């Protein structure tokens, strides 16, 4: 797809897969073309530069976009920017490859702003498996993750993460491999510490092996013990209500780093019937109606205990058994009711 001379289409729920072009295998924007893209996916596209997308003198807006398994014969496996300032929110660069530099993204005289982006498993033959910033480029990254990318220096080095040439990049509330985190920040002056940065394994659900890029494999959602959970800055997501999955953008105490928000769900327990009793389980004890919040995937076993003179009559809601415990796996907000009856005697 080619957009030129100020054209600015809106693309929603679109997939570009296995396309080939000289520039911008999926989309080529030039001459002040600023499309708005939401829930757009670029899979396995190929170009000389910008395997997934190429922007020349253009500043598109990308919200909830995935670039994965794209490749370039030169620079910018996922995206190539020249004199462009795109805005990216909830965007993934996963398993892209460049025969030259910038496996995920290549910037030339460009200043993209990336909020809650995730770069992983990208490969460059020369420099910047994750990102290359050429002369005159000054990107700004917030609440983002760059981990396990590869270039000629190896996997996970600071060069493999981001390579700067007569340029600077500012990272704030982000996790960038090789930078040393804000407490032990790199001495490289081209990396500007905006504060609260990390340099530790983000614990993705499934890592991407950059040596096999281009690939669409991997899962960059966070495990429940990820150090990136609640470590972003809420001010950067004002007006952003969802993550790449369409789930609530802030689910815990603060926004997470990366394109996916780890989800916490409420479990509501109600007590009903003519009798009385209580319900207890992992982290919850209810003598009356109550609610507890659990991490996604948590298994909760609820036990109903009738008071003297009452009998447990059964569950309703997410459980329907009349005897025994209620077993709940938290994958969404759920509710259950325990009914107790008053014993009667003739």
């Amino acid at each position: 797809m080619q957009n030129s001379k100020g054209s600015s289409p809106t693309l929603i729920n679109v997939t570009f897969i296995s396309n080939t072009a000289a520039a911008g295998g999926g989309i080529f924007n030039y001459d002040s073309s600023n499309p708005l893209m939401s829930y757009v996916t670029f899979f396995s596209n190929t170009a000389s530069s910008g395997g997934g997308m190429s922007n020349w003198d253009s500043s598109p807006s990308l919200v909830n976009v995935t670039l994965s398994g794209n490749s370039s014969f030169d620079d910018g496996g996922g995206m190539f920017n020249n004199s462009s300032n795109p805005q990216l929110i909830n965007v993934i660069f996963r398993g892209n490859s460049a025969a030259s530099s910038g496996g995920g993204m290549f910037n030339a005289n460009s200043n993209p702003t990336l909020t809650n982006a995730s770069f992983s498993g990208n490969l460059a033959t020369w420099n910047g498996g994750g990102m290359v910033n050429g002369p005159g480029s000054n990107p700004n990254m917030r609440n983002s993750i760059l981990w396990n990318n590869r270039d000629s220096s190896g996997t996970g080095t600071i060069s493999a993460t981001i390579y700067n040439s007569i340029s600077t990049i500012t990272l704030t509330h982000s996790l960038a491999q090789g930078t040393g985190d804000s407490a032990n920040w790199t001495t490289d002056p081209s990396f500007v510490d905006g504060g609260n940065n990390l340099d530790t394994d983000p614990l993705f659900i499934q890592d991407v092996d950059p040596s096999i890029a281009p690939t669409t494999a991997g899962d960059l959602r966070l495990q429940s013990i990820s150090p990136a959970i609640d470590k972003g800055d809420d001010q950067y997501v004002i007006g952003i209500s969802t993550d790449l999955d369409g789930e609530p953008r802030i689910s815990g105490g603060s926004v997470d780093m990366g394109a996916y928000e780890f989800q916490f769900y409420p479990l509501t327990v109600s007590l009903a019937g003519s009798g009385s009793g209580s319900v207890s389980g992992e982290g919850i004890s209810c003598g009356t109606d109550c609610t507890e919040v659990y991490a996604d995937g948590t298994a909760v076993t609820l036990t109903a205990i009738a008071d003297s003179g009452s009998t447990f009559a059964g569950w309703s809601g997410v459980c329907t058994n009349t005897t025994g415990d209620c077993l709940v796996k938290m994958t969404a907000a759920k509710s259950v009711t325990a009914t107790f009856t008053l014993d009667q005697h003739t």
Side-chain angles (χ1 to χ4, degrees):
M1 180 174 180
Q2 178 174 300
N3 300 309
S4 62
K5 297 186 183 301
S7 58
S8 300
T10 297
L11 290 80
I12 302 174
N13 295 324
V14 177
T15 298
F16 295 87
I17 184 169
S18 300
N19 299 289
T20 302
I27 288 181
F28 180 34
N29 301 306
Y30 75 101
D31 197 6
S32 299
S33 297
N34 307 313
L36 172 62
M37 288 170 268
S38 180
Y39 291 103
V40 177
T41 302
F42 296 84
F43 277 162
S44 305
N45 300 287
T46 304
S48 294
S49 63
M53 178 187 301
S54 188
N55 302 306
W56 289 66
D57 297 300
S58 299
S59 300
S61 295
L62 287 71
V63 180
N64 300 332
V65 172
T66 298
L67 298 101
S68 181
N70 303 288
S71 59
S72 68
F73 300 121
D74 196 353
D75 297 323
M79 179 183 294
F80 183 92
N81 298 310
N82 181 46
S83 299
S84 299
N85 306 310
Q87 304 290 312
L88 297 87
I89 299 172
N90 300 341
V91 176
I92 278 182
F93 291 80
R94 183 186 71 225
N96 301 288
S97 70
S100 183
S101 298
M105 176 185 287
F106 189 100
N107 298 307
N109 192 35
S110 297
N111 305 306
T113 299
L114 301 98
T115 303
N116 287 97
S118 297
F119 286 69
S120 189
N122 300 290
L123 171 68
T125 301
W126 291 359
N127 300 315
M131 178 186 294
V132 164
N133 298 310
S137 298
N138 301 286
N140 193 1
M141 298 193 74
R142 305 91 62 89
N143 299 352
S144 295
I145 299 174
L146 300 106
W147 190 263
N148 199 42
N149 298 286
R150 182 173 182 173
D151 71 356
S152 59
S153 68
T155 300
T157 66
I158 192 168
S159 168
T161 300
I162 301 170
Y163 182 85
N164 298 317
S165 175
I166 317 178
S167 60
T168 62
I169 184 169
T170 300
L171 296 106
T172 307
H173 283 268
S174 293
L175 190 159
Q177 192 170 15
T179 58
D181 72 39
S182 288
N184 304 281
W185 195 248
T186 174
T187 57
D188 186 336
S190 68
F191 288 81
V192 179
D193 176 27
N196 297 286
N197 293 304
L198 301 177
D199 182 0
T200 186
D201 191 339
L203 298 177
F204 293 130
I205 292 293
Q206 182 182 358
D207 285 330
V208 187
D209 182 358
S211 68
I212 63 172
T215 177
T216 58
D219 186 343
L220 304 190
R221 295 172 179 84
L222 303 175
Q223 298 182 42
S224 62
I225 56 174
S226 170
I229 293 175
D230 290 346
K231 291 301 190 295
D233 190 331
D234 295 350
Q235 70 171 315
Y236 299 124
V237 293
I238 294 174
I240 302 170
S241 60
T242 62
D243 69 355
L244 184 55
D245 273 336
E247 297 286 349
R249 180 67 265 190
I250 300 179
S251 181
S254 298
V255 65
D256 299 344
M257 296 175 177
Y260 294 107
E261 186 84 3
F262 185 82
Q263 297 300 308
F264 293 85
Y265 298 114
L267 173 60
T268 300
V269 177
S270 300
L271 279 62
S274 59
S276 62
S278 62
V279 173
S280 62
E282 288 81 0
I284 191 170
S285 181
C286 307
T288 58
D289 296 354
C290 66
T291 300
E292 186 57 65
V293 176
Y294 293 93
D296 182 25
T298 300
V300 182
T301 300
L302 298 175
T303 301
I305 304 171
D307 290 340
S308 177
S310 295
T311 298
F312 172 61
W315 303 98
S316 58
V318 68
C319 291
T320 56
N321 48 302
T322 56
T323 61
D325 294 336
C326 172
L327 308 179
V328 184
K329 186 170 184 179
M330 297 305 296
T331 56
K334 296 185 177 181
S335 61
V336 64
T337 298
T339 299
F340 298 92
T341 58
L342 189 64
D343 294 345
Q344 296 184 5
H345 305 280
T346 301

